[in-house]
Each structure stands twice: as C-alpha cells, then as structure tokens.
C-alpha cells in the first residue's frame, strides 16, 4: 500500500515565520522511496489563498514506490509560467520541482552521508553550469545547480542502491537536464529531513 501523500516542505531554521502542520515521519524500508497516491486538490477560500503565499496545488499521480534511478516528468495541466521551487526530502530520498504550485517532476536522489552529510535549509540557486567539473574532487558534475559557496549542489549522478555523494544531491542524468532547463538563478531549493506537508497547505519557506 502506498504511503499517504505528503510533500517535503522547508521549515528550516532560516525560516523565522512558519505555521504549518507537519506529518509524523514514518519509517521507510531500505532503498525504497516514498510514493504518493494522488490526493484531492484542496482549494483554499479566496481570502486565504491570497495570504497563503506559495501553495502546493497538485502532485504527479505516481503509482507504487519509486526506486533508485527512477524519475517522472509531466507538465500536462501545469501553468507554463509561475514561481518555481524545488523540495528535497533526505529521509525519503525524493526531489520534486513545482511550478506555480504544480509538481512537474520528481525523482529518487542520492545524498551525502557519514563524514559529508547534505545540509538542510533553504537555498537560492546561485550558479548553473551544464558541464561543471568539481575543483575539489576533479569529478564531472553535469547540469550543476549550486546551492552553497562551499560546493553543495544538485547535479546529475549515477543514482543506484548503496551509492552516496560528498554532500551534494545527486539526481538521474535525464532528470537533471530537465531540471536544469526548468529553473533560473534565484529559484528556491528547500532541503529537509522528513518534514512533510499536505497538498493545499502554504509553503511558508518559499
């Protein structure tokens, strides 16, 4: 049975203003990612919608559990323009991209563990480089989206069981290219560990 549908949401310490309902974190099976059944879209009253900020309006109807290397991308029904945010839940190993509140892509991810953990927080994308090479590890980082000055970024990786990164968020290459093309400098990336929110709730961190 698929897990109930929740979305990763940033309520990191950098966000001083939050008033959200956080779902209880559920234990996850090894190497299996949370999958979301499509819930009904909650329409806020106009006066609440105007003050809610960025609200998650729709997620992709994915059946079953996502596995390492899997991704989905579907812009059908999503607005062609609008504010873009990316959410990353390290506990679920899932990344999602939203345009105007509509999820248009999601994928299984790698993240940093052990001595090089991926930091949580809210970050703007400060650099885009489709052919980036790490000046620390001399390793290719295709479709790189920089989050921090010390090298943490989202980039294409060989996403499989048992792999990890040096702190970056690794995504499947085909997904990385689509993500790279869909975002602009300054777009928000929210990285959490197991913090989730129902569809229809405002993303105050965005």
């Amino acid at each position: 049975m698929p897990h109930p549908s929740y979305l990763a949401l940033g309520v990191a310490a950098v966000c001083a203003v939050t008033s959200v309902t956080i779902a209880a974190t559920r234990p996850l099976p090894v190497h299996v990612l949370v999958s979301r059944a499509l819930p009904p879209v909650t329409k806020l009253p106009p006066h609440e919608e105007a003050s809610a900020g960025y609200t998650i309006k729709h997620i992709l109807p994915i059946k079953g559990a996502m596995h390492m290397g899997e991704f989905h991308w579907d812009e059908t029904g999503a607005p062609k323009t609008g504010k873009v945010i990316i959410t990353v839940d390290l506990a679920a190993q899932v990344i999602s991209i939203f345009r105007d509140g509509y999820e248009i892509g999601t994928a299984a991810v790698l993240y940093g563990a052990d001595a090089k953990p991926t930091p949580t927080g809210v970050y703007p994308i400060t650099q885009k480089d489709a052919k980036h090479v790490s000046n620390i590890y001399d390793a290719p980082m295709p479709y790189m989206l920089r989050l921090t000055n010390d090298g943490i970024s989202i980039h294409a990786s060989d996403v499989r069981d048992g792999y990890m990164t040096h702190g970056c968020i690794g995504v499947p290459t085909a997904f990385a290219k689509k993500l790279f093309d869909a975002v602009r400098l300054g777009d928000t990336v929210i990285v959490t560990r197991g913090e989730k929110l129902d569809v229809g709730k405002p993303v105050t961190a965005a």
Side-chain angles (χ1 to χ4, degrees), residues 54 57 75 78-84 98-102 184:
Y54 198 95
K57 302 169 184 174
E75 301 184 37
K80 299 298 183 183
T81 61
K83 183 175 180 179
V84 171
F98 299 88
R99 184 192 295 135
D100 193 34
Y102 288 74
R184 298 182 298 179

Side-chain angles (χ1 to χ4, degrees), residues 148-173:
T148 71
N149 291 334
D150 59 354
I152 302 300
S153 66
I154 301 170
H155 62 80
S157 295
D158 185 7
V159 180
R160 17 173 134 170
D161 287 342
Y163 282 32
M164 63 184 67
T165 72
H166 291 289
C168 289
I169 298 159
V171 300
T173 300

Side-chain angles (χ1 to χ4, degrees), residues 70-148:
E70 182 178 349
F71 77 92
H72 300 266
W73 193 281
D74 186 355
E75 301 184 37
T76 304
K80 299 298 183 183
T81 61
K83 183 175 180 179
V84 171
I85 69 166
I86 295 170
T87 63
V88 180
D89 182 355
L90 300 178
Q93 290 183 253
V94 170
I95 186 171
S96 291
I97 174 173
F98 299 88
R99 184 192 295 135
D100 193 34
Y102 288 74
E103 185 181 44
I104 59 174
T106 185
V109 303
L110 300 177
Y111 64 94
D114 300 330
K116 300 284 186 179
T118 300
T120 59
V122 180
Y123 308 96
I125 296 172
T126 59
Q127 182 186 4
K128 295 177 61 177
D129 186 352
K131 298 180 179 180
H132 187 73
V133 176
S134 171
N135 58 7
I136 300 175
Y137 302 106
D138 193 28
M141 298 166 61
Y143 305 110
M144 186 274 293
L145 305 174
R146 184 180 298 279
L147 307 183
T148 71

Side-chain angles (χ1 to χ4, degrees), residues 30-55:
V30 177
H31 298 316
V32 177
L33 305 174
V34 168
S35 180
R36 289 93 19 101
L38 182 66
V41 176
T42 303
K43 181 70 174 176
L44 296 176
H47 68 281
E48 291 185 24
E49 194 171 52
S51 62
Y54 198 95
T55 302

